[in-house]
Amino acid sequence: METVEMNSVSLKRPRSEDDVANADEIKRQKISEKSKTGNDSGQSVETVTDQPDKSLLEDTKNEIIPNEESEEQEDEELEDSDEDGDPESFADMMKHGLTESDVGITKFVSSHKGFSGILKERYSDFVVHEIGKDGRVSHLDDFSVPVDDEVIEDTKEKRTVIHQAVKSLFPGLETKTEDRDGKKYIIAYHAAGKKALAKVRTATDPRKHSWPKSRGSYCHFVLYKENKDTMDAINVLSKFLRVKPNIFSYMGTKDKRAITVQEIAVLRITAQRLAHLNKCLMNFKLGNFSYKNHPLKLGELQGNHFTVVLRNITGTDGQIEQAMHSLREIGFINYYGMQRFGTTAVPTYQIGRAILQNNWNEVMDLILKPRPGAEKGYLVKCREEWAKTKDPAAALKKLPVKRCVEGQLLRGLLKYGMKNIISAFGIIPRNNRLMYIHSYQSYVWNNMVSKRIEEYGLRAVPGDLTLKGATAVHIEEGDVDNYTIHDVVMPLPGFDVIYPKHKIGEAYKEMLVADNLDINNMRHKIRDYSLSGAYRKIIIRPQNVNWEVVAYDDPRIPLFTTDLDKLEGKPLPVLPTDGKFRALKMEFSLPPSTYATMAIREVLKMDTSIKNQTQLNTTWLR
């Protein structure tokens, strides 16, 4: 259940007249550019050289479907075309989205007065570095490629390794060894014809060519990416390497609208081939290569270190100091952030609840029915067709992007029929299906933790739960002074969990009864949908908290250097001491499955939902 920030959030005061004028000017420029290119469809005329960005409106991840290459390309073009939509229209559509109170996010733990600021005005204002299980923070600081120990002297065996490395890095080339003037040369040349194509396919399969026994089977590397989510990045790398995405492994997914640095492992792909991608890919850099004998596993990390800039802040120095001291000393409520619940008028937790209720007609209806709010045009037409005909074939024809959840479900209904919704739903990738029920768990947890804080405040009380190792135990009356609020955990509903022995334990039962669910029987007849319970800390206290306030004039200039900036020797811009704007630069580390937006929410005391923030700010800088 590793989750880190996914969506962009703007926390800003209401726009001035100048802001409105600037937004109008941007729109006029876009209209003018479209008329010049003759692109009436509104699709981007820019050449796409790698995997396009997903729209921030999407609430699920898509999988690449094998053997449908032309369909993938069409899907990518359509998805990319809506990326830079009219911000005013987007704000209007998001009036139907969720607010924090809709998903149980209602409380704060600090006492300072809130102030405003802009989060992710530029994606480079939000930087995430992964913290490995050994406590080491991942950084991109080395582009060099490791050399195998055996390639030292000239022997036939050593030359064979070089031949293999060239063919692996450049699959279209053949190599041979020639004697010239008493010296041996390895000659590389282009092959031709169908035999060459077959060799290319063989060379690009990591299991088909020789791999030195002394080298670990997995190449680990640091992936630096900008404005892409982790699965997008893996799909791009797999396409360029001509391999399947499932040979890559990683410890956690990272934000899209951000700069992120994380470790990736890939099976039997050489560091040379990976390093070559740095020359042809935008938005990514790969480095810090090493060979190891193991892949990476989801959740095998200590957390993430965040470097965040909040621009155009309005708080006084005193308010900022009080807010940041509170964040460091007390922390923030460990709510599941808004990205957990989707951005449309049909929250993901509602679909999860219907799955747990075994109400499959409701599941189908919630996914496919028309809905107000942020939707791409082809999805609107698909939903309208479905509402009118309930014909999956007719609805699918309206949907050029087949990889979305709606397209996958419709194809499932075509394959298995309308009377077998369970099998049809099963066509959707497992992680996407489980996302719905995890969203429901998160919804319950948010509501319950708000009730817990409202009822008992920021202190441990008898009947609360705490963890001893991996086991949850109740805090007894005579033992309560030995615990603080930072020791208290709350359960995610599921089987094999216990609940608090006070009012909140009863509140869990009441909430699930109202949702027609039995808290004592969370096992589903379909094993995948049986909710295993877990425990989650109420309050998270960030580590390594640092901050400073800086002045600046131009909102487009960076306010700190990234790993790539340092590698390329780019200096930090000189900032004015009396600039027009002020920014708060924050750094902090969080454990897995916690949300940086919830920490920032505590500092600013503002609603982080897209619905709320898009009403305040419609200018998005890339």
Side-chain angles (χ1 to χ4, degrees), residues 73 84 128 144 164 182 222 228 477 480 485 499 527 558 608:
Q73 293 170 354
D84 294 314
V128 186
S144 65
Q164 291 168 345
V222 168
K228 298 280 184 185
E477 179 78 45
V480 72
I485 192 66
Y499 293 87
R527 185 177 177 182
T608 62

Side-chain angles (χ1 to χ4, degrees), residues 506-523:
E506 292 303 313
Y508 270 97
K509 295 176 185 176
E510 291 169 7
M511 186 171 185
L512 267 68
V513 166
D515 286 343
N516 198 27
L517 294 170
D518 182 357
I519 200 168
N520 298 312
N521 183 16
M522 300 301 290
R523 294 187 186 273

Side-chain angles (χ1 to χ4, degrees), residues 183-247:
K183 295 181 180 181
K184 293 188 182 300
Y185 291 85
I186 293 177
I187 309 298
Y189 58 93
H190 283 286
K194 292 183 179 179
K195 280 188 177 180
L197 183 60
K199 288 179 180 178
V200 167
R201 286 173 177 161
T202 300
T204 55
D205 185 333
R207 287 162 292 277
K208 296 292 190 205
H209 59 268
S210 176
W211 188 267
K213 292 181 180 179
S214 61
R215 181 197 291 166
S217 294
Y218 294 87
C219 184
H220 287 229
F221 61 95
V222 168
L223 171 66
Y224 170 104
K225 63 181 181 63
E226 299 183 355
N227 211 28
K228 298 280 184 185
D229 74 23
T230 301
M231 278 311 303
D232 274 338
I234 296 298
N235 286 335
V236 171
L237 297 179
S238 63
K239 278 186 174 183
F240 274 79
L241 294 168
R242 296 176 181 268
V243 296
K244 293 181 179 179
N246 61 7
I247 71 169

Side-chain angles (χ1 to χ4, degrees), residues 531-578:
L531 272 186
S532 57
Y535 300 95
R536 182 176 176 87
K537 283 196 170 187
I538 288 181
I539 302 292
I540 290 294
R541 188 160 41 190
Q543 301 298 306
N544 309 310
V545 179
N546 290 291
W547 70 92
E548 67 171 317
V549 177
V550 298
Y552 66 101
D553 286 320
D554 185 352
R556 287 175 171 78
I557 62 169
L559 299 182
F560 56 82
T561 52
T562 65
D563 286 359
L564 186 59
D565 292 335
K566 292 171 186 175
L567 271 172
E568 294 178 346
K570 291 182 181 178
L572 185 68
V574 178
L575 300 175
T577 55
D578 56 348

Side-chain angles (χ1 to χ4, degrees), residues 68-86:
E68 296 184 10
E69 202 164 304
S70 61
E71 185 178 277
E72 285 175 22
Q73 293 170 354
E74 183 183 13
D75 286 1
E76 289 169 2
E77 290 168 5
L78 286 161
E79 288 179 9
D80 192 52
S81 68
D82 283 351
E83 180 70 17
D84 294 314
D86 181 347

Side-chain angles (χ1 to χ4, degrees), residues 306-368:
F306 296 87
T307 305
V308 179
V309 169
L310 301 176
R311 292 182 183 256
N312 199 16
I313 56 171
T314 62
T316 65
D317 289 343
Q319 288 172 338
I320 293 166
E321 286 294 308
Q322 187 180 1
M324 294 306 298
H325 275 289
S326 176
L327 183 67
R328 184 167 61 188
E329 301 303 322
I330 301 175
F332 63 97
I333 303 172
N334 193 20
Y335 286 123
Y336 286 97
M338 294 302 297
Q339 54 267 49
R340 191 78 165 185
F341 307 102
T343 57
T344 70
V346 178
T348 51
Y349 76 81
Q350 290 184 3
I351 299 170
R353 179 170 54 201
I355 294 170
L356 294 171
Q357 293 169 341
N358 210 31
N359 187 345
W360 292 100
N361 283 312
E362 177 77 356
V363 171
M364 179 177 66
D365 189 46
L366 286 170
I367 292 175
L368 296 177

Side-chain angles (χ1 to χ4, degrees), residues 91 94-99 102 608-616:
M94 284 313 301
K95 290 175 183 175
H96 302 281
L98 296 170
T99 63
D102 292 329
T608 62
S609 67
I610 297 178
K611 174 179 180 176
N612 181 60
Q613 301 311 322
T614 51
Q615 309 309 313
L616 303 180

